[in-house]
Amino acid sequence: MAVTDGPDQEEAISLARQGKMEEALEWYDRALAARPKNEIFLTNRSIVLISLGRYEEAVVASRQAASANPYSADVWINKGVALDKLGRHPEAIDALEQAVVISPYNAYARALLGIVYQKMEMDDKAEAQSRLLKEIVFPREYAGFYFATAVFLLGLLLGGIQSVEGKPIGVTIFSEMMIILLFCALCGLYWRSLRLFQEINRDVLSAPGLVAGRDNQSMQRMYGPIGLLVVVFVGGIIAGILVWAHFS
């Protein structure tokens, strides 16, 4: 996903959230007059145009964004949405296929691609996208359980090490550091899993959300699960200490 180009864009995002799409469009037109090759402004302008039903202009804006950064999946998704709305389904397929090449685990792009395949009565390809989508979504539905189990066991191990009497200091410190590093790695992997999983919650029948606004909201929703992972880890440590104390 693209990254916000500065706090000044918050005005346009705020206008869009309030449904003031025409005013948001005017903001992006002014901004692009000063920075005509800004990929994020071009991307968000195309999204506003899609929301306004101005699909031809959205296609043009998406092409400009693709020229600025052809490696952004969002650019091709926006183009695919606009082309689909225009009934130009073969071109929409080309754009969305490009999006999934860039971002193979983008569930939103794959869902859209499957929908357009269905409209073109390309049932085999639509079914293939459906299977791929399930492969992307299914593991992440249970990711919280898997990661929580892993960090609890790490906490249990760390608690046990803490409770052993007469342990060599060097070995203990090394073991504890390794466990903490593994915990941090699991948190990082879970964070990435959450980012990917959030793609499936986007409404595939409407315009994509504005880039910066979507990223900010996604980040806020991810703090809770990561915090819960930390609590589970601490709970594992406490459980490890209690178990060792019971059997020692």
Side-chain angles (χ1 to χ4, degrees):
M1 286 184 189
V3 181
T4 180
D5 195 59
D8 54 351
Q9 192 185 190
E10 289 300 322
E11 180 185 349
I13 291 172
S14 176
L15 289 168
R17 286 176 182 166
Q18 296 172 49
K20 300 177 180 178
M21 293 299 178
E22 292 286 356
E23 294 178 45
L25 182 60
E26 290 175 4
W27 190 98
Y28 283 114
D29 286 341
R30 291 194 301 271
L32 285 165
R35 285 180 278 180
K37 294 185 178 180
N38 185 294
E39 172 236 331
I40 297 169
F41 291 170
L42 287 166
T43 298
N44 283 349
R45 183 175 182 273
S46 68
I47 293 167
V48 172
L49 287 166
I50 291 170
S51 299
L52 290 168
R54 294 162 62 173
Y55 304 124
E56 289 285 3
E57 294 174 73
V59 171
V60 173
S62 297
R63 284 175 181 158
Q64 292 171 335
S67 297
N69 181 9
Y71 305 107
S72 169
D74 281 343
V75 166
W76 297 101
I77 290 171
N78 297 339
K79 185 178 179 182
V81 170
L83 288 166
D84 176 54
K85 295 291 187 181
L86 290 167
R88 293 157 60 179
H89 298 135
E91 294 174 78
I93 287 172
D94 289 341
L96 293 169
E97 285 179 343
Q98 183 65 30
V100 298
V101 166
I102 294 168
S103 182
Y105 298 104
N106 191 316
Y108 180 54
R110 290 203 177 275
L112 282 170
L113 184 56
I115 290 170
V116 181
Y117 279 148
Q118 287 180 333
K119 290 179 180 179
M120 292 291 293
E121 298 183 353
M122 302 168 70
D123 295 334
D124 290 343
K125 289 190 173 183
E127 181 60 30
Q129 288 303 314
S130 178
R131 288 196 301 270
L132 286 168
L133 192 59
K134 289 176 182 177
E135 290 174 8
I136 293 170
V137 172
F138 178 78
R140 292 181 178 84
E141 287 182 334
Y142 299 95
F145 172 77
Y146 298 143
F147 279 101
T149 301
V151 299
F152 180 79
L153 292 174
L154 282 177
L156 200 66
L157 181 59
L158 182 57
I161 291 172
Q162 289 283 345
S163 302
V164 176
E165 295 181 2
K167 51 189 180 291
I169 297 297
V171 174
T172 302
I173 292 174
F174 176 77
S175 300
E176 290 174 350
M177 288 298 296
M178 287 300 296
I179 290 170
I180 291 170
L181 284 173
L182 282 171
F183 170 69
C184 292
L186 284 170
C187 285
L189 289 170
Y190 189 40
W191 182 275
R192 176 172 171 75
S193 178
L194 289 170
R195 290 298 297 268
L196 292 172
F197 183 67
Q198 283 175 354
E199 292 295 331
I200 70 168
N201 295 322
R202 295 166 65 179
D203 183 357
V204 299
L205 299 178
S206 64
L210 293 182
V211 170
R214 187 174 69 233
D215 280 353
N216 291 340
Q217 291 174 354
S218 297
M219 293 284 285
Q220 292 170 4
R221 287 195 297 267
M222 287 160 57
Y223 292 136
I226 294 297
L228 185 60
L229 214 59
V230 174
V231 171
V232 170
F233 181 63
V234 173
I237 294 172
I238 295 170
I241 293 171
L242 293 175
V243 169
W244 185 265
H246 176 74
F247 288 104
S248 60

